[in-house]
Amino acid sequence: LFTGTAKEDSVQTQCTAETVSFHKLGRRQIEAAFDGGQLSTDSGGLLLRETEKHLNLFNRLSACFTDYRQPDAVEHPVSKLLKQRIYGLALGYEDLNDHDELRHDPLLAVLCDHSDPEGKQRLHQRDRGKALAGKSTLNRLELTPSNANALSRYQKIVADHAAIGALLVDLFLESRKKAPKRLILDMDATDDKIHGEQEGRHFNKYYDSYCYLPLYIFCGDELLCSRLQTAKEDAAINSVEEISRLVIRIRQRWPRTKILVRGDGGFCRDDLMSWCEENQVDYLLGLPKNSRLLKVLKLDQVLVKMAHQLTGKSVRTFREFRYRTRKSWSRERRVIGKAVHSDKGENPRFVVTTLGRRHYKPRQLYEQIYCARGEMENRIKEQQLDLFADRTSTHHFRANQLRLYFTSFAYVLMQALRRIGLKGTKVAKAQAGTIRLKLLKLAGRITVSVRRVRLYLNDNYPYQVLFRQVWQQLQLKPLPG
């Protein structure tokens, strides 16, 4: 704290070891002190904990790790480390450094299911009052190499990335009560700018920066895949591998469900389209423009330009044709071209698809089905802006992939809260940042006794009705098993 003096009618900022003084309110002094007891700003995190009980997320995620530490020396099991890290991300704490302060918070310890949330029974005196792990312990969780074993010195918790990726798919499958008739798998890659000397660091000309290009696959609001990729390679380099993995798993559960793969022009690659065609998977992909394609739409562009000049409005028309590249494609395919002219000039677009003309007319296919993929971009922004998926700042590529997985499970947790707790409420479609602000960032005083943990929540909290509604819906839904 700092001290200072000022005249009564001027700016006053006077502090002592106990109180901090601010501008007067009329004749009244305004003072504050850190003497309110054990308080937390994250009391709404209890809703996340209730949500997690429906997923059994952390027990299943911890099974994807092999812990080579000596059991009798372990104070923080893997499941609790994962809870601390992922709950922290969901609550807005993006850095490992934050946890050196958060480890004092008994509310976060309650979320992590610590039986001693005040840390009074820690083995070492220096750790008393700190129930949770510090940044160094959490850092070892991320930095453990794949070949670590019991003889390794520090990093001894090995992550099975394949198992973690499979868990994302299993959680998605369990979110549906019955087999859907059709699933649309949206693919996209985005830039994740990096500013250090991370493994896999490459300059990407399109984004004009050094970055990673993580690949995301969503089905609606549900996340199925988040794979870190270098910017040296084509964004679609792993698309066949990831789509085939997902399709196999989905068909094991729902063999009759039809699957449509949707993506922009970055995924219009012959290997992906050929795989889909050979495995009875439909696709709808953007098709980059070239001189041959533009020639097909030349007359259409003239007509829509004339119509625009007459009406002053944006005019568009659609043309369907068969098309094959001279070298890169293995076969001829159905292509839809959109000729459009507006105040900004002409902007022709193309898509390629396996969807047949009998059920999907060109305008419907482009405007109603293809353009709907834009919603996925909002989900990626939510991942990066609200849940810190771009915090890939550690040196090792493997560790950065694990960080991306942690933010992915934070998203899964928030999405489950939306799907179960927020259903039917006015914030049912709210993004993670809004949910955090309105429901999770809730002030409360916590007391811990032998029989009870009690939170005294803010009387003036403006969303009490919403909070109770979400809590009630979480209680009504039966727990698994």
Side-chain angles (χ1 to χ4, degrees):
L1 298 176
F2 58 90
T3 60
T5 59
K7 292 183 179 180
E8 184 176 342
D9 295 331
S10 63
V11 176
Q12 184 181 21
T13 311
Q14 296 181 332
C15 305
T16 68
E18 290 80 26
T19 63
V20 181
S21 298
F22 300 91
H23 288 88
K24 287 184 176 181
L25 177 63
R27 296 182 179 181
R28 296 184 179 92
Q29 297 284 347
I30 300 179
E31 298 177 345
F34 293 96
D35 59 359
Q38 289 186 323
L39 302 174
S40 175
T41 59
D42 301 310
S43 301
L46 289 171
L47 295 177
L48 285 179
R49 183 173 180 268
E50 292 298 298
T51 302
E52 191 277 334
K53 301 300 181 185
H54 292 281
L55 305 179
N56 192 23
L57 172 61
F58 293 114
N59 286 334
R60 299 164 70 181
L61 183 56
S62 62
C64 301
F65 291 77
T66 301
D67 189 354
Y68 290 105
R69 296 176 296 174
Q70 296 181 4
D72 56 348
V74 172
E75 284 192 278
H76 302 290
V78 173
S79 62
K80 289 183 171 55
L81 293 177
L82 293 171
K83 290 176 185 178
Q84 183 178 341
R85 185 71 168 106
I86 294 172
Y87 278 137
L89 289 166
L91 293 170
Y93 302 104
E94 58 185 292
D95 289 319
L96 285 176
N97 291 342
D98 296 328
H99 289 269
D100 269 4
E101 302 301 327
L102 290 172
R103 64 192 305 208
H104 298 85
D105 186 353
L107 189 279
L108 184 56
V110 169
L111 299 187
C112 297
D113 293 310
H114 277 274
S115 59
D116 177 25
E118 296 177 299
K120 293 181 178 179
Q121 301 171 14
R122 293 291 301 275
L123 294 177
H124 302 289
Q125 182 64 39
R126 66 177 183 273
D127 294 325
R128 304 282 167 79
K130 307 169 186 175
L132 298 167
K135 63 180 181 182
S136 297
T137 303
L138 291 169
N139 197 39
R140 295 186 190 116
L141 175 67
E142 296 181 355
L143 292 181
T144 302
S146 60
N147 60 352
N149 54 46
L151 300 179
S152 301
R153 186 172 184 182
Y154 292 118
Q155 289 87 22
K156 297 185 178 184
I157 306 174
V158 181
D160 182 344
H161 286 200
I164 294 174
L167 178 57
L168 277 175
V169 185
D170 289 343
L171 290 168
F172 160 72
L173 295 173
E174 293 165 10
S175 70
R176 305 292 181 104
K177 293 182 179 179
K178 59 181 181 179
K181 293 183 179 179
R182 177 184 288 273
L183 292 176
I184 299 178
L185 303 184
D186 282 312
M187 308 179 68
D188 205 356
T190 189
D191 63 313
D192 172 9
K193 292 181 174 60
I194 55 179
H195 306 283
E197 297 296 327
Q198 289 98 316
E199 288 180 348
R201 176 180 183 267
H202 291 283
F203 185 83
N204 185 280
K205 185 177 181 180
Y206 179 82
Y207 293 107
D208 193 29
S209 65
Y210 288 92
C211 60
Y212 291 132
L213 291 178
L215 170 66
Y216 290 96
I217 302 177
F218 282 83
C219 182
D221 293 338
E222 304 290 341
L223 176 61
L224 282 76
C225 170
S226 56
R227 178 164 178 169
L228 199 63
Q229 302 179 137
T230 71
K232 182 180 180 180
E233 302 165 326
D234 180 28
I237 188 68
N238 295 302
S239 59
V240 174
E241 178 184 346
E242 293 300 331
I243 285 294
S244 61
R245 177 178 66 86
L246 298 181
V247 169
I248 290 171
R249 185 67 187 91
I250 291 169
R251 284 181 170 169
Q252 286 174 348
R253 181 74 170 266
W254 300 320
R256 297 182 179 179
T257 296
K258 295 181 180 180
I259 299 173
L260 170 67
V261 173
R262 187 167 60 185
D264 63 18
F267 295 92
C268 186
R269 302 291 183 266
D270 187 69
D271 59 345
L272 176 60
M273 292 187 287
S274 296
W275 185 92
C276 290
E277 290 159 350
E278 293 164 4
N279 291 275
Q280 294 76 54
V281 174
D282 287 316
Y283 59 78
L284 176 57
L285 305 171
L287 176 59
K289 292 177 281 190
N290 61 45
S291 59
R292 289 177 60 208
L293 290 170
L294 292 175
K295 186 176 180 180
V296 175
L297 282 190
K298 186 175 181 179
L299 178 59
D300 298 271
Q301 281 296 155
V302 172
L303 294 175
V304 295
K305 182 179 180 179
M306 294 172 60
H308 170 71
Q309 291 172 341
L310 290 172
T311 64
K313 299 179 180 179
S314 176
V315 182
R316 60 190 179 276
T317 187
F318 296 85
R319 177 178 291 275
E320 174 184 345
F321 54 96
R322 303 294 295 180
Y323 174 79
R324 177 179 180 178
T325 62
R326 290 194 173 100
K327 294 182 179 180
S328 59
W329 285 12
S330 59
R331 68 193 71 181
E332 191 178 70
R333 295 179 168 106
R334 183 191 184 197
V335 170
I336 307 299
K338 181 182 78 167
V340 59
H341 201 99
S342 65
D343 292 337
K344 296 181 180 180
E346 63 180 38
N347 185 23
R349 297 294 184 92
F350 302 88
V351 295
V352 57
T353 186
T354 55
L355 297 175
R357 177 179 175 80
R358 180 179 178 184
H359 298 291
Y360 299 95
K361 304 303 180 185
R363 179 183 292 270
Q364 173 202 15
L365 191 148
Y366 189 92
E367 293 185 340
Q368 297 180 19
I369 304 178
Y370 180 73
C371 290
R373 62 166 298 277
E375 182 60 24
M376 179 194 180
E377 296 179 5
N378 293 328
R379 304 285 73 78
I380 294 177
K381 289 178 182 177
E382 187 176 14
Q383 275 268 88
Q384 291 197 314
L385 299 180
D386 293 340
L387 297 169
F388 321 110
D390 58 352
R391 294 293 292 162
T392 48
S393 54
T394 188
H395 173 71
H396 300 285
F397 188 87
R398 177 182 170 84
N400 285 323
Q401 172 66 79
L402 194 55
R403 285 190 173 187
L404 182 58
Y405 277 139
F406 289 162
T407 64
S408 298
F409 284 106
Y411 175 87
V412 168
L413 200 56
M414 295 293 267
Q415 170 59 18
L417 177 59
R418 268 195 294 244
R419 175 168 46 85
I420 303 171
L422 297 179
K423 183 178 180 181
T425 71
K426 59 184 178 181
V427 289
K429 295 294 184 180
Q431 294 199 353
T434 302
I435 296 172
R436 180 189 298 138
L437 179 64
K438 292 189 174 184
L439 281 176
L440 308 185
K441 289 298 179 182
L442 170 58
R445 179 168 62 89
I446 184 171
T447 62
V448 181
S449 65
V450 175
R451 294 187 176 183
R452 178 180 299 174
V453 175
R454 173 69 188 272
L455 264 84
Y456 300 84
L457 303 179
N458 180 8
D459 287 350
N460 298 318
Y461 175 54
Y463 302 107
Q464 292 184 36
V465 174
L466 175 63
F467 187 95
R468 289 182 178 277
Q469 185 179 358
V470 174
W471 170 82
Q472 185 176 36
Q473 293 190 156
L474 288 169
Q475 301 307 308
L476 290 175
K477 183 176 176 61
L479 293 175

